[in-house]
Amino acid sequence: VRAGERVMSFDEMTGDNLLVDRVSYHFVRPAVGSGFVFRTGNIPDIMRAVGDQYYIKRLVGTPGDKLEVRAPVLFRNGAPITGSSAFDANAKQEHGYLGYTNPDPKRFGARLKVGDVLTVEDGKYFAMGDNSPNSEDSRFWGFVPGADVVGRPILVYYPFTRHWGPAR
């Protein structure tokens, strides 16, 4: 190593390694507001771009839910969404959260455009990232098939950055 060169840089990792509870969702449905892990192999817009991988996002819609974005607030069944502190922080645009936004309709035939009310299909889920303006999520690639939900995140065990610890 030469003077001035970086020795380590954990914050530049491409992904977190998680412990995932793969049992609970066989007995109970995922709850709105929780993080959930799923496979992408049956989501065509992701499959074409990156193949079959594991993704983690926040669950915002279950079968039959009606979703709408009125920036900066995400609405579920006609009321501001509840179930996670990230929902409140986004709605108030505090603690570094920028609020929920409507996606650019030119990208992936975006869902939840301004004025849209979207109903989550039977057997499917709708996932969004907490950093809405910079998240590619169900607004871009569509619903997550229920059969592809793997489980709930429990613990980020690597890398040792500010993400390390219990998954929230």
Side-chain angles (χ1 to χ4, degrees):
V1 179
R2 292 185 182 95
E5 288 182 352
R6 187 172 298 175
V7 177
M8 289 188 202
S9 182
F10 292 112
D11 288 327
E12 292 183 14
M13 301 298 293
T14 59
D16 294 336
N17 292 314
L18 303 169
L19 290 177
V20 177
D21 169 5
R22 296 178 70 118
V23 176
S24 297
Y25 290 164
H26 290 285
F27 303 101
V28 296
R29 284 174 45 166
V32 168
S34 63
F36 76 127
V37 177
F38 54 94
R39 295 196 67 142
T40 63
N42 292 311
I43 304 171
D45 285 341
I46 296 177
M47 189 61 188
R48 280 191 295 274
V50 298
D52 188 14
Q53 296 185 6
Y54 291 100
Y55 270 27
I56 181 172
K57 294 288 181 183
R58 189 164 309 279
L59 178 60
V60 300
T62 59
D65 284 344
K66 295 185 183 318
L67 301 172
E68 179 183 8
V69 173
R70 290 185 229 154
V73 181
L74 174 62
F75 284 76
R76 177 175 172 249
N77 299 324
I81 194 165
T82 60
S84 170
S85 59
F87 296 151
D88 296 332
N90 264 302
K92 295 175 184 170
Q93 295 179 307
E94 60 186 16
H95 308 300
Y97 289 93
L98 302 174
Y100 292 101
T101 59
N102 300 97
D104 179 353
K106 295 177 187 141
R107 297 180 65 204
F108 301 104
R111 293 143 185 97
L112 278 181
K113 297 182 287 287
V114 174
D116 282 358
V117 175
L118 179 136
T119 301
V120 180
E121 296 175 1
D122 285 340
K124 306 219 172 143
Y125 296 96
F126 203 82
M128 288 179 69
D130 290 342
N131 182 3
S132 180
N134 297 308
S135 178
E136 288 196 8
D137 48 39
S138 286
R139 295 171 301 161
F140 296 100
W141 32 256
F143 298 112
V144 175
D148 292 335
V149 175
V150 173
R152 67 183 182 91
I154 297 173
L155 175 78
V156 177
Y157 65 86
Y158 187 82
F160 298 111
T161 65
R162 60 186 169 86
H163 288 184
W164 187 89
R168 287 176 240 125

